[in-house]
Amino acid sequence: MAHGASSNESESSKPSLPTDFKRFARFGVVDSSLLMISILAGFSLDTLIASRIGARGYGPIVGAGIGNAIADTVAGMPEGRWAAAGVGVGALAPLAPVVAMMALKRDLSSRPVALFVGGSCAAMFIGTFYHSFTRDSSKDKNS
């Protein structure tokens, strides 16, 4: 202890991480851990999915998509029920082009299908990201 400081003063003056950092670091651990587990589960389901729909390559992306939605929902629960539900529903949206290609029995490994799925997801990302910076925040607060 320097200069007559008590032990309480020296401990309270230690720098600490901001609360938001700690909270979102926990979110990241929960989110990524569940995502990794679901990707691995998706790999194990790839043969089953291929035999059911007649197209290959969907196991990992379906596992990742569904797992991401579950992980985001679980990790978002401390933010509130509706926040967690909104994140979960939003996380499922990029699976729409995947499901469309599965219904058409197209191999995900083919270049046109991969471009369609990737392009659709990129468009969703860009549109949502752009909207978040250009929306009238007063309208969103009242809805």
Side-chain angles (χ1 to χ4, degrees):
M1 284 183 272
H3 307 290
S6 71
S7 64
N8 288 343
E9 283 179 1
S10 64
E11 286 183 27
S12 65
S13 63
K14 288 182 184 176
S16 65
L17 293 172
T19 303
D20 280 350
F21 177 86
K22 293 175 191 176
R23 184 176 65 175
F24 286 106
R26 285 190 299 269
F27 177 100
V29 169
V30 170
D31 183 50
S32 291
S33 297
L34 290 173
L35 178 60
M36 296 302 156
I37 291 166
S38 63
I39 290 170
L40 293 171
F43 273 116
S44 66
L45 293 173
D46 195 42
T47 305
L48 175 67
I49 292 171
S51 69
R52 300 267 172 135
I53 68 168
R56 299 180 38 90
Y58 288 100
I61 199 165
V62 168
I66 292 172
N68 184 55
I70 292 168
D72 284 353
T73 301
V74 169
M77 284 181 180
E79 300 303 313
R81 174 178 56 202
W82 289 109
V87 169
V89 169
L92 288 172
L95 282 175
V98 174
V99 171
M101 292 296 102
M102 288 174 72
L104 294 172
K105 301 182 181 211
R106 307 276 193 229
D107 278 350
L108 186 59
S109 61
S110 79
R111 185 168 170 85
V113 172
L115 288 173
F116 172 77
V117 171
S120 298
C121 291
M124 283 185 233
F125 169 76
I126 291 167
T128 303
F129 192 76
Y130 177 76
H131 175 73
S132 69
F133 286 104
T134 60
R135 70 176 192 257
D136 180 0
S137 61
S138 64
K139 287 182 186 176
D140 285 347
K141 288 179 184 177
N142 294 328
S143 50

